Amino acid sequence: MPAALTPAAAAALLRDGGVLAYPTEAVWGLGCDPENEAAVQRLLALKQRAVDKGLILVAADFDSLRPWLDLPALPAQRLAAVQAHWPGAHTWVMPASARAPRWITGAHDGIAVRVSAHPDVAALCRAFAGALVSTSANRSGLPPARTRAELDPFLMAAVDGLLAGETGGLDQPTPIRMALDGRVLRT
């Protein structure tokens, strides 16, 4: 298992194209620079996840997500409803901007995003100065790791680093809802 990194060291690793394991609100996640296609493809290969499914982006603040989103496509009252839940353990699928590549959106016109209140996630995103890919640290079809001890040895041998910290204690991964209508996609 890689040594635990500080947020600054983890952010440097991400800027260099690395893939990182890090604690989130409920489970351990895998992350990378969403603008680095090679890093995203490597992360997807490690997870054995199809690119068509799309990925979540997590950030410490809404401004870091703005470039990825087509905000004029979202009615103001719906945007206000989304923002009322942030920072927090709520993921929303919002209209994606033209900047959002298919290796992030998958086969979708929207992009799943979250402004996290988890202190380790927020510190990592601030150190990176932007949004990061956030997907559970497990191979597709296997249960996600809730603790550091549960992390898959195969994945840990393949990632470039691990952020120091613990998960936030939620029982389930964050719910995912559609920003346009509030419909629940994952509870």
Short mmCIF file of all heavy atoms in Angstrom, two decimals, residues 115-157:
data_model
loop_
_atom_site.label_atom_id
_atom_site.label_comp_id
_atom_site.label_asym_id
_atom_site.label_seq_id
_atom_site.Cartn_x
_atom_site.Cartn_y
_atom_site.Cartn_z
N VAL A 115 -19.97 19.44 -4.47
CA VAL A 115 -19.11 20.31 -3.67
C VAL A 115 -19.08 19.67 -2.29
O VAL A 115 -20.08 19.66 -1.57
CB VAL A 115 -19.64 21.75 -3.60
CG1 VAL A 115 -18.77 22.59 -2.67
CG2 VAL A 115 -19.69 22.37 -5.00
N SER A 116 -17.95 19.10 -1.95
CA SER A 116 -17.84 18.29 -0.75
C SER A 116 -17.56 19.11 0.50
O SER A 116 -16.80 20.08 0.47
CB SER A 116 -16.71 17.27 -0.93
OG SER A 116 -16.61 16.45 0.21
N ALA A 117 -18.17 18.67 1.59
CA ALA A 117 -17.87 19.25 2.91
C ALA A 117 -16.86 18.38 3.67
O ALA A 117 -16.45 18.75 4.77
CB ALA A 117 -19.15 19.38 3.73
N HIS A 118 -16.49 17.24 3.09
CA HIS A 118 -15.51 16.36 3.75
C HIS A 118 -14.19 17.11 3.82
O HIS A 118 -13.67 17.56 2.81
CB HIS A 118 -15.36 15.06 2.96
CG HIS A 118 -14.52 14.04 3.64
ND1 HIS A 118 -13.15 14.15 3.71
CD2 HIS A 118 -14.85 12.89 4.28
CE1 HIS A 118 -12.67 13.10 4.37
NE2 HIS A 118 -13.68 12.32 4.73
N PRO A 119 -13.61 17.28 5.01
CA PRO A 119 -12.42 18.12 5.14
C PRO A 119 -11.23 17.64 4.31
O PRO A 119 -10.49 18.47 3.77
CB PRO A 119 -12.10 18.10 6.64
CG PRO A 119 -12.91 16.98 7.22
CD PRO A 119 -14.06 16.72 6.30
N ASP A 120 -11.02 16.33 4.20
CA ASP A 120 -9.88 15.84 3.42
C ASP A 120 -10.10 16.05 1.92
O ASP A 120 -9.17 16.42 1.20
CB ASP A 120 -9.63 14.36 3.71
CG ASP A 120 -9.27 14.11 5.17
OD1 ASP A 120 -8.60 14.98 5.78
OD2 ASP A 120 -9.66 13.06 5.71
N VAL A 121 -11.32 15.81 1.45
CA VAL A 121 -11.63 16.03 0.04
C VAL A 121 -11.48 17.51 -0.30
O VAL A 121 -10.87 17.87 -1.30
CB VAL A 121 -13.05 15.52 -0.31
CG1 VAL A 121 -13.43 15.89 -1.74
CG2 VAL A 121 -13.16 14.02 -0.10
N ALA A 122 -12.05 18.36 0.54
CA ALA A 122 -11.98 19.81 0.29
C ALA A 122 -10.53 20.29 0.31
O ALA A 122 -10.13 21.08 -0.55
CB ALA A 122 -12.82 20.56 1.32
N ALA A 123 -9.73 19.81 1.25
CA ALA A 123 -8.31 20.21 1.32
C ALA A 123 -7.56 19.74 0.07
O ALA A 123 -6.73 20.49 -0.47
CB ALA A 123 -7.66 19.65 2.58
N LEU A 124 -7.85 18.54 -0.39
CA LEU A 124 -7.21 18.03 -1.61
C LEU A 124 -7.59 18.87 -2.82
O LEU A 124 -6.72 19.27 -3.60
CB LEU A 124 -7.60 16.56 -1.83
CG LEU A 124 -7.11 15.92 -3.12
CD1 LEU A 124 -5.59 15.90 -3.19
CD2 LEU A 124 -7.69 14.51 -3.24
N CYS A 125 -8.87 19.17 -2.97
CA CYS A 125 -9.32 19.98 -4.10
C CYS A 125 -8.74 21.39 -4.06
O CYS A 125 -8.37 21.94 -5.09
CB CYS A 125 -10.85 20.02 -4.16
SG CYS A 125 -11.60 18.44 -4.59
N ARG A 126 -8.64 21.97 -2.86
CA ARG A 126 -8.03 23.31 -2.74
C ARG A 126 -6.55 23.25 -3.11
O ARG A 126 -6.05 24.11 -3.82
CB ARG A 126 -8.22 23.86 -1.33
CG ARG A 126 -9.60 24.45 -1.09
CD ARG A 126 -9.68 25.25 0.20
NE ARG A 126 -9.43 24.45 1.38
CZ ARG A 126 -10.36 23.73 2.02
NH1 ARG A 126 -11.60 23.74 1.59
NH2 ARG A 126 -10.04 23.03 3.08
N ALA A 127 -5.85 22.23 -2.66
CA ALA A 127 -4.42 22.09 -2.99
C ALA A 127 -4.23 21.87 -4.48
O ALA A 127 -3.27 22.37 -5.07
CB ALA A 127 -3.80 20.94 -2.19
N PHE A 128 -5.15 21.15 -5.11
CA PHE A 128 -5.09 20.90 -6.56
C PHE A 128 -5.55 22.13 -7.34
O PHE A 128 -5.22 22.28 -8.51
CB PHE A 128 -5.96 19.68 -6.91
CG PHE A 128 -5.91 19.31 -8.35
CD1 PHE A 128 -4.78 18.74 -8.92
CD2 PHE A 128 -7.02 19.53 -9.17
CE1 PHE A 128 -4.74 18.40 -10.25
CE2 PHE A 128 -6.99 19.17 -10.51
CZ PHE A 128 -5.85 18.61 -11.06
N ALA A 129 -6.32 22.99 -6.71
CA ALA A 129 -6.88 24.21 -7.31
C ALA A 129 -7.88 23.88 -8.42
O ALA A 129 -7.90 24.52 -9.47
CB ALA A 129 -5.78 25.14 -7.82
N GLY A 130 -8.73 22.88 -8.15
CA GLY A 130 -9.75 22.55 -9.13
C GLY A 130 -10.53 21.31 -8.75
O GLY A 130 -10.34 20.74 -7.68
N ALA A 131 -11.40 20.92 -9.66
CA ALA A 131 -12.23 19.72 -9.47
C ALA A 131 -11.42 18.48 -9.80
O ALA A 131 -10.48 18.52 -10.60
CB ALA A 131 -13.46 19.81 -10.37
N LEU A 132 -11.81 17.37 -9.19
CA LEU A 132 -11.15 16.08 -9.39
C LEU A 132 -12.17 15.02 -9.74
O LEU A 132 -13.33 15.10 -9.34
CB LEU A 132 -10.45 15.64 -8.10
CG LEU A 132 -9.38 16.53 -7.55
CD1 LEU A 132 -8.96 16.05 -6.17
CD2 LEU A 132 -8.21 16.55 -8.50
N VAL A 133 -11.72 13.97 -10.43
CA VAL A 133 -12.54 12.79 -10.62
C VAL A 133 -12.75 12.15 -9.26
O VAL A 133 -11.83 12.10 -8.44
CB VAL A 133 -11.85 11.80 -11.59
CG1 VAL A 133 -12.53 10.44 -11.56
CG2 VAL A 133 -11.81 12.37 -13.00
N SER A 134 -13.96 11.67 -9.02
CA SER A 134 -14.28 10.97 -7.78
C SER A 134 -15.13 9.76 -8.10
O SER A 134 -16.29 9.88 -8.49
CB SER A 134 -15.02 11.89 -6.81
OG SER A 134 -15.25 11.24 -5.59
N THR A 135 -14.56 8.58 -7.96
CA THR A 135 -15.27 7.33 -8.16
C THR A 135 -14.83 6.36 -7.08
O THR A 135 -13.71 6.48 -6.57
CB THR A 135 -15.02 6.77 -9.58
OG1 THR A 135 -15.82 5.61 -9.78
CG2 THR A 135 -13.56 6.45 -9.82
N SER A 136 -15.69 5.44 -6.72
CA SER A 136 -15.36 4.55 -5.62
C SER A 136 -14.11 3.71 -5.92
O SER A 136 -13.87 3.31 -7.05
CB SER A 136 -16.54 3.64 -5.29
OG SER A 136 -16.92 2.89 -6.44
N ALA A 137 -13.34 3.44 -4.87
CA ALA A 137 -12.08 2.69 -4.99
C ALA A 137 -12.38 1.19 -4.92
O ALA A 137 -12.13 0.54 -3.92
CB ALA A 137 -11.10 3.10 -3.91
N ASN A 138 -12.94 0.69 -6.01
CA ASN A 138 -13.20 -0.73 -6.14
C ASN A 138 -13.27 -1.08 -7.62
O ASN A 138 -13.55 -0.21 -8.45
CB ASN A 138 -14.52 -1.12 -5.46
CG ASN A 138 -15.70 -0.37 -6.02
OD1 ASN A 138 -15.81 0.84 -5.87
ND2 ASN A 138 -16.59 -1.07 -6.70
N ARG A 139 -13.01 -2.33 -7.92
CA ARG A 139 -13.21 -2.79 -9.29
C ARG A 139 -14.71 -2.96 -9.51
O ARG A 139 -15.45 -3.30 -8.58
CB ARG A 139 -12.46 -4.09 -9.54
CG ARG A 139 -10.95 -3.84 -9.60
CD ARG A 139 -10.18 -5.09 -9.85
NE ARG A 139 -9.95 -5.77 -8.57
CZ ARG A 139 -9.39 -6.95 -8.44
NH1 ARG A 139 -9.00 -7.61 -9.50
NH2 ARG A 139 -9.21 -7.47 -7.25
N SER A 140 -15.17 -2.68 -10.72
CA SER A 140 -16.60 -2.75 -11.03
C SER A 140 -17.18 -4.09 -10.58
O SER A 140 -16.59 -5.14 -10.79
CB SER A 140 -16.83 -2.56 -12.52
OG SER A 140 -16.55 -1.23 -12.87
N GLY A 141 -18.33 -4.01 -9.92
CA GLY A 141 -19.02 -5.19 -9.45
C GLY A 141 -18.64 -5.62 -8.04
O GLY A 141 -19.31 -6.46 -7.46
N LEU A 142 -17.58 -5.05 -7.50
CA LEU A 142 -17.15 -5.38 -6.14
C LEU A 142 -17.59 -4.28 -5.19
O LEU A 142 -17.73 -3.12 -5.60
CB LEU A 142 -15.64 -5.58 -6.08
CG LEU A 142 -15.08 -6.74 -6.91
CD1 LEU A 142 -13.56 -6.78 -6.81
CD2 LEU A 142 -15.69 -8.06 -6.46
N PRO A 143 -17.77 -4.59 -3.90
CA PRO A 143 -18.21 -3.55 -2.96
C PRO A 143 -17.12 -2.50 -2.74
O PRO A 143 -15.93 -2.81 -2.78
CB PRO A 143 -18.51 -4.32 -1.67
CG PRO A 143 -17.80 -5.62 -1.80
CD PRO A 143 -17.65 -5.90 -3.26
N PRO A 144 -17.53 -1.25 -2.52
CA PRO A 144 -16.56 -0.20 -2.24
C PRO A 144 -15.94 -0.35 -0.85
O PRO A 144 -16.56 -0.95 0.04
CB PRO A 144 -17.38 1.09 -2.34
CG PRO A 144 -18.78 0.67 -2.06
CD PRO A 144 -18.91 -0.75 -2.53
N ALA A 145 -14.75 0.16 -0.69
CA ALA A 145 -14.05 0.11 0.60
C ALA A 145 -14.55 1.24 1.50
O ALA A 145 -14.51 2.40 1.12
CB ALA A 145 -12.55 0.25 0.37
N ARG A 146 -15.00 0.89 2.69
CA ARG A 146 -15.45 1.89 3.66
C ARG A 146 -14.33 2.33 4.58
O ARG A 146 -14.40 3.39 5.18
CB ARG A 146 -16.62 1.33 4.46
CG ARG A 146 -17.81 1.05 3.58
CD ARG A 146 -19.05 0.75 4.40
NE ARG A 146 -20.18 0.58 3.54
CZ ARG A 146 -20.83 1.55 2.93
NH1 ARG A 146 -20.48 2.79 3.10
NH2 ARG A 146 -21.86 1.30 2.15
N THR A 147 -13.31 1.49 4.71
CA THR A 147 -12.16 1.81 5.55
C THR A 147 -10.87 1.61 4.74
O THR A 147 -10.88 0.91 3.73
CB THR A 147 -12.10 0.91 6.80
OG1 THR A 147 -11.83 -0.43 6.37
CG2 THR A 147 -13.39 0.96 7.61
N ARG A 148 -9.81 2.16 5.24
CA ARG A 148 -8.51 1.99 4.59
C ARG A 148 -8.11 0.51 4.56
O ARG A 148 -7.56 0.03 3.57
CB ARG A 148 -7.46 2.82 5.33
CG ARG A 148 -6.15 2.93 4.63
CD ARG A 148 -5.30 3.96 5.33
NE ARG A 148 -3.93 3.86 4.86
CZ ARG A 148 -2.97 4.66 5.23
NH1 ARG A 148 -3.21 5.64 6.06
NH2 ARG A 148 -1.77 4.51 4.76
N ALA A 149 -8.43 -0.23 5.60
CA ALA A 149 -8.10 -1.66 5.67
C ALA A 149 -8.84 -2.47 4.61
O ALA A 149 -8.35 -3.53 4.21
CB ALA A 149 -8.42 -2.20 7.06
N GLU A 150 -9.99 -1.99 4.14
CA GLU A 150 -10.78 -2.70 3.14
C GLU A 150 -10.34 -2.42 1.71
O GLU A 150 -10.88 -3.00 0.76
CB GLU A 150 -12.26 -2.36 3.28
CG GLU A 150 -12.90 -2.86 4.54
CD GLU A 150 -14.35 -2.40 4.68
OE1 GLU A 150 -14.88 -1.70 3.78
OE2 GLU A 150 -14.97 -2.73 5.70
N LEU A 151 -9.39 -1.50 1.51
CA LEU A 151 -8.96 -1.16 0.15
C LEU A 151 -8.41 -2.39 -0.56
O LEU A 151 -7.64 -3.16 0.01
CB LEU A 151 -7.92 -0.04 0.19
CG LEU A 151 -8.49 1.34 0.50
CD1 LEU A 151 -7.37 2.31 0.88
CD2 LEU A 151 -9.30 1.87 -0.66
N ASP A 152 -8.79 -2.57 -1.80
CA ASP A 152 -8.39 -3.70 -2.64
C ASP A 152 -6.87 -3.67 -2.86
O ASP A 152 -6.34 -2.70 -3.41
CB ASP A 152 -9.13 -3.57 -3.98
CG ASP A 152 -8.86 -4.69 -4.95
OD1 ASP A 152 -7.80 -5.34 -4.87
OD2 ASP A 152 -9.72 -4.91 -5.82
N PRO A 153 -6.16 -4.73 -2.45
CA PRO A 153 -4.70 -4.76 -2.63
C PRO A 153 -4.28 -4.61 -4.10
O PRO A 153 -3.26 -4.00 -4.38
CB PRO A 153 -4.30 -6.13 -2.08
CG PRO A 153 -5.39 -6.52 -1.16
CD PRO A 153 -6.64 -5.91 -1.71
N PHE A 154 -5.08 -5.13 -5.03
CA PHE A 154 -4.79 -4.97 -6.46
C PHE A 154 -4.78 -3.49 -6.83
O PHE A 154 -3.86 -3.01 -7.50
CB PHE A 154 -5.83 -5.73 -7.29
CG PHE A 154 -5.83 -5.35 -8.75
CD1 PHE A 154 -4.91 -5.91 -9.62
CD2 PHE A 154 -6.75 -4.44 -9.25
CE1 PHE A 154 -4.90 -5.55 -10.96
CE2 PHE A 154 -6.75 -4.07 -10.58
CZ PHE A 154 -5.82 -4.64 -11.44
N LEU A 155 -5.81 -2.76 -6.40
CA LEU A 155 -5.87 -1.33 -6.71
C LEU A 155 -4.75 -0.57 -6.01
O LEU A 155 -4.14 0.32 -6.60
CB LEU A 155 -7.23 -0.75 -6.31
CG LEU A 155 -8.43 -1.16 -7.14
CD1 LEU A 155 -9.70 -0.54 -6.57
CD2 LEU A 155 -8.25 -0.76 -8.60
N MET A 156 -4.50 -0.90 -4.76
CA MET A 156 -3.48 -0.18 -4.01
C MET A 156 -2.09 -0.40 -4.60
O MET A 156 -1.24 0.49 -4.54
CB MET A 156 -3.51 -0.57 -2.54
CG MET A 156 -4.75 -0.08 -1.80
SD MET A 156 -5.09 1.70 -2.01
CE MET A 156 -6.21 1.75 -3.38
N ALA A 157 -1.85 -1.55 -5.21
CA ALA A 157 -0.56 -1.79 -5.86
C ALA A 157 -0.44 -0.99 -7.15
O ALA A 157 0.67 -0.74 -7.62
CB ALA A 157 -0.39 -3.28 -6.14
#
